[in-house]
Amino acid sequence: MSVRVNRPTARECELCGRLERWDGDLGAWQIGRVEGERRAGNPHCIHEWDINGSFNPISDS
C-alpha cells in the first residue's frame, strides 16, 4: 500500500475574496475568475486562505 499526497487546486481569501487556482503548466497560483471576471481581491490584504481542515492531503492509492 502506498500513500499519495494531494495538493489543493483552488483557494479563496476569507478576508478580501481573492480567488486563486493552481496552474500546473506554470507551476504557480493564478488569479481565478467567476463568470469571466477576475477575483483579485485587495492587493494590500494579508490573505487568510480558507484552510478549515476539510481538505485531506493524504489518500491511499
Side-chain angles (χ1 to χ4, degrees):
M1 178 166 91
S2 64
V3 175
R4 181 176 176 198
V5 177
N6 297 317
R7 297 179 181 127
T9 57
R11 62 187 184 186
E12 183 174 0
C13 177
E14 294 180 344
L15 302 175
C16 72
R18 180 184 180 97
L19 182 65
E20 293 185 348
R21 302 216 181 278
W22 181 254
D23 186 322
D25 293 334
L26 295 175
W29 291 98
Q30 299 296 306
I31 297 173
R33 295 181 180 267
V34 174
E35 297 179 2
E37 195 166 323
R38 288 173 40 124
R39 294 261 314 265
N42 180 344
H44 303 290
C45 181
I46 299 174
H47 302 298
E48 181 70 34
W49 302 113
D50 56 344
I51 301 168
N52 59 14
S54 64
F55 178 78
N56 185 1
I58 307 296
S59 66
D60 295 330
S61 56

